[in-house]
Amino acid sequence: TNTRSGDCGPVSMKFLEMHAHGDPPPQMSSITDRIVDNIRKQYAMDIYKTIVLPSYYAARFTDA
């Protein structure tokens, strides 16, 4: 049960990811609010590493 607003996106993406990998342990039914918080943090870091850092370094080294 999703009792917190805003968790549906990260949880849906995690379900898709887990389903694509054959639902490895921990299974989807064991996802808790604490795990969702960690998923959100990890997605934020992944976005930062793949979008923000490359654009920062590209702009920084082309201006020099």
Side-chain angles (χ1 to χ4, degrees):
T1 304
N2 184 4
T3 58
R4 302 185 310 175
S5 176
D7 286 344
C8 56
V11 170
S12 297
M13 292 306 297
K14 190 62 175 178
F15 281 171
L16 288 169
E17 182 182 317
M18 292 174 78
H19 181 68
H21 290 102
D23 196 20
Q27 276 75 29
M28 293 180 206
S29 61
S30 63
I31 293 180
T32 63
D33 285 344
R34 177 180 273 162
I35 292 172
V36 171
D37 290 341
N38 290 335
I39 291 169
R40 292 171 72 109
K41 290 175 190 174
Q42 186 61 50
Y43 283 151
M45 291 304 298
D46 289 345
I47 290 168
Y48 184 80
K49 287 190 297 188
T50 58
I51 297 173
V52 176
L53 286 179
S55 63
Y56 171 76
Y57 284 112
R60 184 174 179 205
F61 291 119
T62 57
D63 290 340

